[in-house]
């Protein structure tokens, strides 16, 4: 005797079979378009997308069940299922022993009209789940075939040519939706990793800020003083204050200033160093000046003016070091005029090292031009370097400025600079940067 459930299922299947009327092309297309609309609503969740297509594949082909099987190694996994196949969700079958495996291998839609007579299918397995017809279409993803979309029915000859096209179209939709979801997730991953990178950069900057703030607050740096000499007599006329930081790893001072600028503490660090350097003025011979390195922004600040005003301003030389471009020459030139009126002297650092240093020279009419050590290097052998030094000398003459050659390391370099008429110089050959020895201790 048939159970009521089984009986009603048989009735359902028979009515489904009777209802089968092939759709015209226009209607089929409009149904596919409506599936696409549903896919769009499913969003970027691949499970939802595949579930929509599985359900609709069953409906449009008048099948009793549908399944999307995805390749996993040499097996196919029932990834999404509807109708009579729902209970088999998650099942794994060896792809070599199934019509689905053959479909992936050949890349072609395969139709089985009757499992009882088709040698390609496992007859026992079909009997077990009660199906006679199958239509299997390969599921493309990019250039790959990643599985199949299969519809099934418990009677023979259930599917038509139109169903082949339906499954092909639906599979194209799945492939596109999966690609879209994957692209989105890779974009999202890239986005997330950028957010993470930005967070790390921000954390690093915070850490850097803390460290540099500590250095500023504790004045945790030393100063070295390098003599600047009159080249004809060898007399020391001034000293350049150079910052020395000893926080863990030894790093050149310009790196420290670069870091401080990144941490938005460049100005404060420069001012802190200048403040400490100016306190040393009293320890230097009274007939010498003190050269302090500052960026154009610091040179133009009210803070540096206050500092200079609190010391013997006429013994202070501000060496304007170019690390960033000057945004407003008018402000800087005006500040330079005020500083000069106080007796402060201005020097342009690293002249000849780059375009902007020469631009500073023209715009700011400095008292001193410091010839960069790259020009001094081997000047005895390099005619072009000699020409540049000579040109700057002529310019300096015309603007009543003076020249200091930096980085003199050899007697030959010194001799050539003297011959050219460079009045002042600095470098390891004349004296290295040294900590200041208090007068009383000499
Ligand atoms: P700079 O102002 O051009 O300083 C001259 C650099 O050349 C110094 O390096 C000095 O030690 C080095 N030097 C001196 N004589 C010779 C030489 O004969 N041969 C060679 N090869 N090098 C020589 P240092 O002390 O490492 O400073 C590097 C840069 O760091 C400075 O270049 C300056 O731009 C910056 N800096 C140093 N101290 C301060 C400071 O207190 N404030 C500011 N804003 N910048 C500073
Ligand atoms: Ca300098
Ligand atoms: Ca320099």
């Amino acid at each position: 005797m048939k159970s009521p459930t089984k009986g009603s299922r048989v009735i359902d299947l028979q009515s489904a079979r009777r209802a089968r009327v092939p759709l015209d092309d226009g209607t089929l297309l409009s149904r596919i378009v409506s599936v696409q609309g549903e896919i769009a609503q499913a969003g970027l969740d691949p499970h939802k997308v595949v579930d929509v297509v599985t359900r609709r594949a069953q409906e449009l082909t008048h099948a009793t069940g549908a399944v999307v099987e995805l390749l996993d190694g040499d097996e196919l996994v029932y990834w999404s299922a509807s109708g009579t196949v729902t209970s088999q969700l998650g099942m794994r079958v060896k792809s070599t022993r199934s019509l689905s495996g053959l479909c992936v291998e050949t890349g072609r839609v395969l139709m089985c009209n009757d499992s009882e007579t088709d040698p390609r299918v496992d007859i026992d397995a079909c009997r077990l789940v009660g199906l006679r017809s199958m239509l299997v279409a390969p599921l493309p993803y990019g250039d790959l075939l990643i599985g199949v979309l299969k519809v099934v029915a418990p009677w023979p000859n259930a599917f038509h040519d139109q169903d082949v096209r339906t499954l092909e179209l639906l599979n194209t939709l799945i492939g596109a939706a999966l690609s879209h979801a994957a692209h989105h997730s890779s974009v999202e991953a890239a986005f997330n990793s950028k957010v993470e990178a930005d967070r790390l950069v921000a954390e690093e900057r915070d850490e850097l800020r803390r460290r540099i703030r500590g250095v500023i607050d504790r004045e945790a740096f030393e100063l070295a003083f390098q003599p600047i000499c009159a080249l004809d007599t060898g007399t020391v006329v001034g000293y350049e204050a150079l910052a020395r930081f000893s926080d863990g790893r030894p790093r050149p001072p310009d790196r420290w200033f670069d870091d401080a600028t990144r941490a938005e503490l460049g100005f404060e660090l420069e001012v802190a160093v200048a403040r400490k350097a100016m306190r040393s003025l009293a320890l230097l011979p009274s007939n010498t000046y003190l050269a302090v390195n500052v960026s154009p922004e610091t040179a133009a600040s009210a803070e540096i003016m206050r500092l200079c005003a609190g010391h013997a301003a006429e013994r202070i030389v501000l060496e304007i070091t170019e690390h960033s471009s000057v945004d407003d020459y008018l402000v800087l030139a005006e500040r330079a005029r005020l500083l000069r009126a106080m007796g402060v002297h201005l020097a342009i650092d690293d002249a000849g090292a780059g375009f902007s240093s020469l631009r500073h020279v023209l715009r700011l009419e400095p008292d001193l031009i410091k010839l960069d050590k790259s020009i001094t290097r081997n000047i005895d052998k390099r005619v072009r370097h000699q020409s540049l030094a000579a040109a700057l000398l002529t310019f300096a003459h015309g603007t009543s400025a003076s020249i200091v050659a930096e980085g003199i390391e050899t007697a030959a370099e010194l001799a050539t600079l003297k011959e050219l008429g460079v009045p002042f110089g600095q470098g390891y050959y004349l004296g290295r940067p040294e900590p200041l020895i208090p007068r009383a201790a000499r």
Side-chain angles (χ1 to χ4, degrees), residues 47 51 66-70 72 75-82 85-94:
H47 272 278
D51 282 348
V67 56
V68 164
E69 301 170 25
L70 292 186
D72 183 16
E75 292 180 326
L76 282 157
V77 187
Y78 280 38
W79 210 63
S80 167
S82 70
V85 196
T86 309
S87 61
Q88 294 162 38
L89 198 66
M91 192 174 80
R92 288 173 168 267
V93 289
K94 281 264 179 268

PDB file of all heavy atoms in Angstrom, residues 47 51 66-70 72 75-82 85-94:
ATOM      1  N   HIS A  47      26.568  32.039  -1.938  1.00  0.00           N
ATOM      2  CA  HIS A  47      25.590  31.006  -1.578  1.00  0.00           C
ATOM      3  C   HIS A  47      24.196  31.419  -2.004  1.00  0.00           C
ATOM      4  O   HIS A  47      23.459  30.635  -2.597  1.00  0.00           O
ATOM      5  CB  HIS A  47      25.610  30.757  -0.063  1.00  0.00           C
ATOM      6  CG  HIS A  47      26.627  29.725   0.312  1.00  0.00           C
ATOM      7  ND1 HIS A  47      26.387  28.380   0.230  1.00  0.00           N
ATOM      8  CD2 HIS A  47      27.891  29.869   0.752  1.00  0.00           C
ATOM      9  CE1 HIS A  47      27.454  27.714   0.606  1.00  0.00           C
ATOM     10  NE2 HIS A  47      28.395  28.593   0.925  1.00  0.00           N
ATOM     11  N   ASP A  51      21.853  29.676  -4.805  1.00  0.00           N
ATOM     12  CA  ASP A  51      20.533  29.167  -4.384  1.00  0.00           C
ATOM     13  C   ASP A  51      19.423  29.679  -5.295  1.00  0.00           C
ATOM     14  O   ASP A  51      18.530  28.931  -5.682  1.00  0.00           O
ATOM     15  CB  ASP A  51      20.233  29.562  -2.932  1.00  0.00           C
ATOM     16  CG  ASP A  51      20.983  28.677  -1.944  1.00  0.00           C
ATOM     17  OD1 ASP A  51      21.535  27.639  -2.392  1.00  0.00           O
ATOM     18  OD2 ASP A  51      21.024  29.027  -0.745  1.00  0.00           O
ATOM     19  N   ALA A  66      16.964  20.214  -8.533  1.00  0.00           N
ATOM     20  CA  ALA A  66      18.127  20.827  -9.193  1.00  0.00           C
ATOM     21  C   ALA A  66      19.263  20.897  -8.180  1.00  0.00           C
ATOM     22  O   ALA A  66      19.027  20.970  -6.967  1.00  0.00           O
ATOM     23  CB  ALA A  66      17.793  22.220  -9.699  1.00  0.00           C
ATOM     24  N   VAL A  67      20.467  20.868  -8.699  1.00  0.00           N
ATOM     25  CA  VAL A  67      21.618  20.920  -7.799  1.00  0.00           C
ATOM     26  C   VAL A  67      22.793  21.610  -8.498  1.00  0.00           C
ATOM     27  O   VAL A  67      22.968  21.467  -9.701  1.00  0.00           O
ATOM     28  CB  VAL A  67      22.022  19.486  -7.330  1.00  0.00           C
ATOM     29  CG1 VAL A  67      22.302  18.567  -8.510  1.00  0.00           C
ATOM     30  CG2 VAL A  67      23.224  19.519  -6.392  1.00  0.00           C
ATOM     31  N   VAL A  68      23.559  22.377  -7.708  1.00  0.00           N
ATOM     32  CA  VAL A  68      24.838  22.887  -8.207  1.00  0.00           C
ATOM     33  C   VAL A  68      25.918  22.073  -7.500  1.00  0.00           C
ATOM     34  O   VAL A  68      25.965  22.028  -6.270  1.00  0.00           O
ATOM     35  CB  VAL A  68      25.010  24.395  -7.927  1.00  0.00           C
ATOM     36  CG1 VAL A  68      26.462  24.808  -8.083  1.00  0.00           C
ATOM     37  CG2 VAL A  68      24.146  25.208  -8.876  1.00  0.00           C
ATOM     38  N   GLU A  69      26.711  21.389  -8.305  1.00  0.00           N
ATOM     39  CA  GLU A  69      27.804  20.587  -7.745  1.00  0.00           C
ATOM     40  C   GLU A  69      29.111  21.297  -8.055  1.00  0.00           C
ATOM     41  O   GLU A  69      29.348  21.671  -9.198  1.00  0.00           O
ATOM     42  CB  GLU A  69      27.814  19.190  -8.382  1.00  0.00           C
ATOM     43  CG  GLU A  69      26.528  18.417  -8.190  1.00  0.00           C
ATOM     44  CD  GLU A  69      26.483  17.129  -9.035  1.00  0.00           C
ATOM     45  OE1 GLU A  69      27.554  16.592  -9.385  1.00  0.00           O
ATOM     46  OE2 GLU A  69      25.363  16.687  -9.359  1.00  0.00           O
ATOM     47  N   LEU A  70      29.929  21.489  -7.031  1.00  0.00           N
ATOM     48  CA  LEU A  70      31.211  22.167  -7.264  1.00  0.00           C
ATOM     49  C   LEU A  70      32.361  21.202  -7.060  1.00  0.00           C
ATOM     50  O   LEU A  70      32.340  20.353  -6.152  1.00  0.00           O
ATOM     51  CB  LEU A  70      31.362  23.350  -6.293  1.00  0.00           C
ATOM     52  CG  LEU A  70      30.417  24.537  -6.495  1.00  0.00           C
ATOM     53  CD1 LEU A  70      30.784  25.672  -5.551  1.00  0.00           C
ATOM     54  CD2 LEU A  70      30.427  25.036  -7.935  1.00  0.00           C
ATOM     55  N   ASP A  72      35.735  19.699  -5.909  1.00  0.00           N
ATOM     56  CA  ASP A  72      36.648  19.849  -4.780  1.00  0.00           C
ATOM     57  C   ASP A  72      37.612  18.678  -4.874  1.00  0.00           C
ATOM     58  O   ASP A  72      37.278  17.558  -4.496  1.00  0.00           O
ATOM     59  CB  ASP A  72      35.845  19.819  -3.472  1.00  0.00           C
ATOM     60  CG  ASP A  72      36.757  20.051  -2.268  1.00  0.00           C
ATOM     61  OD1 ASP A  72      37.893  20.529  -2.477  1.00  0.00           O
ATOM     62  OD2 ASP A  72      36.335  19.747  -1.141  1.00  0.00           O
ATOM     63  N   GLU A  75      36.447  15.207  -6.238  1.00  0.00           N
ATOM     64  CA  GLU A  75      35.046  14.994  -5.874  1.00  0.00           C
ATOM     65  C   GLU A  75      34.185  16.178  -6.297  1.00  0.00           C
ATOM     66  O   GLU A  75      34.698  17.278  -6.518  1.00  0.00           O
ATOM     67  CB  GLU A  75      34.922  14.819  -4.354  1.00  0.00           C
ATOM     68  CG  GLU A  75      35.534  13.539  -3.848  1.00  0.00           C
ATOM     69  CD  GLU A  75      35.379  13.402  -2.331  1.00  0.00           C
ATOM     70  OE1 GLU A  75      35.414  14.425  -1.622  1.00  0.00           O
ATOM     71  OE2 GLU A  75      35.213  12.268  -1.869  1.00  0.00           O
ATOM     72  N   LEU A  76      32.883  15.895  -6.387  1.00  0.00           N
ATOM     73  CA  LEU A  76      31.926  16.988  -6.617  1.00  0.00           C
ATOM     74  C   LEU A  76      31.061  17.092  -5.371  1.00  0.00           C
ATOM     75  O   LEU A  76      30.572  16.091  -4.853  1.00  0.00           O
ATOM     76  CB  LEU A  76      31.064  16.678  -7.841  1.00  0.00           C
ATOM     77  CG  LEU A  76      31.758  16.915  -9.181  1.00  0.00           C
ATOM     78  CD1 LEU A  76      31.105  16.100 -10.288  1.00  0.00           C
ATOM     79  CD2 LEU A  76      31.720  18.407  -9.553  1.00  0.00           C
ATOM     80  N   VAL A  77      30.907  18.330  -4.881  1.00  0.00           N
ATOM     81  CA  VAL A  77      30.132  18.554  -3.664  1.00  0.00           C
ATOM     82  C   VAL A  77      28.792  19.155  -4.037  1.00  0.00           C
ATOM     83  O   VAL A  77      28.736  20.097  -4.826  1.00  0.00           O
ATOM     84  CB  VAL A  77      30.873  19.540  -2.722  1.00  0.00           C
ATOM     85  CG1 VAL A  77      30.152  19.651  -1.377  1.00  0.00           C
ATOM     86  CG2 VAL A  77      32.314  19.132  -2.526  1.00  0.00           C
ATOM     87  N   TYR A  78      27.714  18.629  -3.471  1.00  0.00           N
ATOM     88  CA  TYR A  78      26.381  19.190  -3.691  1.00  0.00           C
ATOM     89  C   TYR A  78      26.299  20.484  -2.872  1.00  0.00           C
ATOM     90  O   TYR A  78      26.087  20.467  -1.676  1.00  0.00           O
ATOM     91  CB  TYR A  78      25.288  18.199  -3.260  1.00  0.00           C
ATOM     92  CG  TYR A  78      25.015  17.120  -4.283  1.00  0.00           C
ATOM     93  CD1 TYR A  78      26.059  16.549  -5.008  1.00  0.00           C
ATOM     94  CD2 TYR A  78      23.723  16.681  -4.534  1.00  0.00           C
ATOM     95  CE1 TYR A  78      25.813  15.562  -5.950  1.00  0.00           C
ATOM     96  CE2 TYR A  78      23.462  15.694  -5.473  1.00  0.00           C
ATOM     97  CZ  TYR A  78      24.516  15.134  -6.183  1.00  0.00           C
ATOM     98  OH  TYR A  78      24.265  14.171  -7.112  1.00  0.00           O
ATOM     99  N   TRP A  79      26.478  21.594  -3.545  1.00  0.00           N
ATOM    100  CA  TRP A  79      26.687  22.877  -2.868  1.00  0.00           C
ATOM    101  C   TRP A  79      25.379  23.616  -2.628  1.00  0.00           C
ATOM    102  O   TRP A  79      25.229  24.350  -1.669  1.00  0.00           O
ATOM    103  CB  TRP A  79      27.606  23.721  -3.761  1.00  0.00           C
ATOM    104  CG  TRP A  79      28.474  24.666  -3.030  1.00  0.00           C
ATOM    105  CD1 TRP A  79      29.455  24.343  -2.140  1.00  0.00           C
ATOM    106  CD2 TRP A  79      28.461  26.087  -3.116  1.00  0.00           C
ATOM    107  NE1 TRP A  79      30.057  25.473  -1.685  1.00  0.00           N
ATOM    108  CE2 TRP A  79      29.466  26.563  -2.262  1.00  0.00           C
ATOM    109  CE3 TRP A  79      27.707  27.009  -3.848  1.00  0.00           C
ATOM    110  CZ2 TRP A  79      29.740  27.919  -2.095  1.00  0.00           C
ATOM    111  CZ3 TRP A  79      27.974  28.358  -3.693  1.00  0.00           C
ATOM    112  CH2 TRP A  79      28.980  28.805  -2.813  1.00  0.00           C
ATOM    113  N   SER A  80      24.451  23.441  -3.595  1.00  0.00           N
ATOM    114  CA  SER A  80      23.136  24.083  -3.466  1.00  0.00           C
ATOM    115  C   SER A  80      22.139  23.139  -4.119  1.00  0.00           C
ATOM    116  O   SER A  80      22.429  22.594  -5.190  1.00  0.00           O
ATOM    117  CB  SER A  80      23.169  25.427  -4.187  1.00  0.00           C
ATOM    118  OG  SER A  80      21.864  25.924  -4.333  1.00  0.00           O
ATOM    119  N   ALA A  81      21.021  22.930  -3.464  1.00  0.00           N
ATOM    120  CA  ALA A  81      20.070  21.963  -4.026  1.00  0.00           C
ATOM    121  C   ALA A  81      18.652  22.416  -3.773  1.00  0.00           C
ATOM    122  O   ALA A  81      18.373  23.137  -2.827  1.00  0.00           O
ATOM    123  CB  ALA A  81      20.316  20.593  -3.400  1.00  0.00           C
ATOM    124  N   SER A  82      17.766  21.984  -4.677  1.00  0.00           N
ATOM    125  CA  SER A  82      16.350  22.322  -4.466  1.00  0.00           C
ATOM    126  C   SER A  82      15.491  21.119  -4.855  1.00  0.00           C
ATOM    127  O   SER A  82      15.983  20.171  -5.499  1.00  0.00           O
ATOM    128  CB  SER A  82      15.975  23.549  -5.296  1.00  0.00           C
ATOM    129  OG  SER A  82      15.976  23.209  -6.662  1.00  0.00           O
ATOM    130  N   VAL A  85      16.226  17.054  -4.636  1.00  0.00           N
ATOM    131  CA  VAL A  85      17.659  16.854  -4.337  1.00  0.00           C
ATOM    132  C   VAL A  85      18.046  17.507  -2.997  1.00  0.00           C
ATOM    133  O   VAL A  85      19.135  17.274  -2.490  1.00  0.00           O
ATOM    134  CB  VAL A  85      18.552  17.403  -5.489  1.00  0.00           C
ATOM    135  CG1 VAL A  85      19.974  16.876  -5.386  1.00  0.00           C
ATOM    136  CG2 VAL A  85      17.992  17.032  -6.846  1.00  0.00           C
ATOM    137  N   THR A  86      17.136  18.308  -2.429  1.00  0.00           N
ATOM    138  CA  THR A  86      17.477  19.082  -1.221  1.00  0.00           C
ATOM    139  C   THR A  86      18.093  18.208  -0.127  1.00  0.00           C
ATOM    140  O   THR A  86      19.079  18.608   0.503  1.00  0.00           O
ATOM    141  CB  THR A  86      16.210  19.785  -0.669  1.00  0.00           C
ATOM    142  OG1 THR A  86      15.591  20.487  -1.746  1.00  0.00           O
ATOM    143  CG2 THR A  86      16.565  20.773   0.422  1.00  0.00           C
ATOM    144  N   SER A  87      17.541  17.008   0.034  1.00  0.00           N
ATOM    145  CA  SER A  87      18.024  16.147   1.124  1.00  0.00           C
ATOM    146  C   SER A  87      19.472  15.690   0.902  1.00  0.00           C
ATOM    147  O   SER A  87      20.119  15.218   1.827  1.00  0.00           O
ATOM    148  CB  SER A  87      17.123  14.927   1.263  1.00  0.00           C
ATOM    149  OG  SER A  87      17.160  14.202   0.053  1.00  0.00           O
ATOM    150  N   GLN A  88      19.980  15.845  -0.333  1.00  0.00           N
ATOM    151  CA  GLN A  88      21.353  15.379  -0.611  1.00  0.00           C
ATOM    152  C   GLN A  88      22.393  16.513  -0.490  1.00  0.00           C
ATOM    153  O   GLN A  88      23.561  16.323  -0.834  1.00  0.00           O
ATOM    154  CB  GLN A  88      21.413  14.787  -2.018  1.00  0.00           C
ATOM    155  CG  GLN A  88      20.587  13.513  -2.145  1.00  0.00           C
ATOM    156  CD  GLN A  88      20.286  13.167  -3.591  1.00  0.00           C
ATOM    157  OE1 GLN A  88      21.131  13.346  -4.454  1.00  0.00           O
ATOM    158  NE2 GLN A  88      19.086  12.704  -3.857  1.00  0.00           N
ATOM    159  N   LEU A  89      21.942  17.659  -0.024  1.00  0.00           N
ATOM    160  CA  LEU A  89      22.841  18.808   0.107  1.00  0.00           C
ATOM    161  C   LEU A  89      24.098  18.422   0.913  1.00  0.00           C
ATOM    162  O   LEU A  89      23.995  17.757   1.940  1.00  0.00           O
ATOM    163  CB  LEU A  89      22.094  19.936   0.838  1.00  0.00           C
ATOM    164  CG  LEU A  89      22.688  21.328   0.703  1.00  0.00           C
ATOM    165  CD1 LEU A  89      22.608  21.819  -0.733  1.00  0.00           C
ATOM    166  CD2 LEU A  89      21.944  22.298   1.617  1.00  0.00           C
ATOM    167  N   GLY A  90      25.257  18.806   0.424  1.00  0.00           N
ATOM    168  CA  GLY A  90      26.507  18.495   1.133  1.00  0.00           C
ATOM    169  C   GLY A  90      27.101  17.154   0.722  1.00  0.00           C
ATOM    170  O   GLY A  90      28.244  16.836   1.083  1.00  0.00           O
ATOM    171  N   MET A  91      26.352  16.354  -0.044  1.00  0.00           N
ATOM    172  CA  MET A  91      26.857  15.037  -0.463  1.00  0.00           C
ATOM    173  C   MET A  91      28.081  15.197  -1.384  1.00  0.00           C
ATOM    174  O   MET A  91      28.198  16.186  -2.094  1.00  0.00           O
ATOM    175  CB  MET A  91      25.746  14.303  -1.206  1.00  0.00           C
ATOM    176  CG  MET A  91      26.017  12.843  -1.448  1.00  0.00           C
ATOM    177  SD  MET A  91      24.565  12.042  -2.163  1.00  0.00           S
ATOM    178  CE  MET A  91      24.724  12.522  -3.863  1.00  0.00           C
ATOM    179  N   ARG A  92      28.962  14.194  -1.329  1.00  0.00           N
ATOM    180  CA  ARG A  92      30.140  14.220  -2.198  1.00  0.00           C
ATOM    181  C   ARG A  92      30.124  12.974  -3.074  1.00  0.00           C
ATOM    182  O   ARG A  92      29.866  11.883  -2.559  1.00  0.00           O
ATOM    183  CB  ARG A  92      31.431  14.184  -1.361  1.00  0.00           C
ATOM    184  CG  ARG A  92      31.682  15.488  -0.631  1.00  0.00           C
ATOM    185  CD  ARG A  92      32.863  15.367   0.317  1.00  0.00           C
ATOM    186  NE  ARG A  92      33.225  16.706   0.758  1.00  0.00           N
ATOM    187  CZ  ARG A  92      34.133  17.455   0.167  1.00  0.00           C
ATOM    188  NH1 ARG A  92      34.816  16.988  -0.862  1.00  0.00           N
ATOM    189  NH2 ARG A  92      34.378  18.668   0.617  1.00  0.00           N
ATOM    190  N   VAL A  93      30.389  13.169  -4.350  1.00  0.00           N
ATOM    191  CA  VAL A  93      30.481  11.995  -5.236  1.00  0.00           C
ATOM    192  C   VAL A  93      31.803  12.073  -6.000  1.00  0.00           C
ATOM    193  O   VAL A  93      32.297  13.163  -6.289  1.00  0.00           O
ATOM    194  CB  VAL A  93      29.309  11.948  -6.253  1.00  0.00           C
ATOM    195  CG1 VAL A  93      28.005  11.609  -5.563  1.00  0.00           C
ATOM    196  CG2 VAL A  93      29.184  13.245  -7.024  1.00  0.00           C
ATOM    197  N   LYS A  94      32.358  10.910  -6.284  1.00  0.00           N
ATOM    198  CA  LYS A  94      33.599  10.890  -7.084  1.00  0.00           C
ATOM    199  C   LYS A  94      33.278  11.399  -8.489  1.00  0.00           C
ATOM    200  O   LYS A  94      32.357  10.893  -9.141  1.00  0.00           O
ATOM    201  CB  LYS A  94      34.118   9.447  -7.180  1.00  0.00           C
ATOM    202  CG  LYS A  94      34.850   8.994  -5.927  1.00  0.00           C
ATOM    203  CD  LYS A  94      36.358   9.186  -6.109  1.00  0.00           C
ATOM    204  CE  LYS A  94      37.125   8.782  -4.873  1.00  0.00           C
ATOM    205  NZ  LYS A  94      37.384   9.867  -3.924  1.00  0.00           N
TER     206      LYS A  94
END
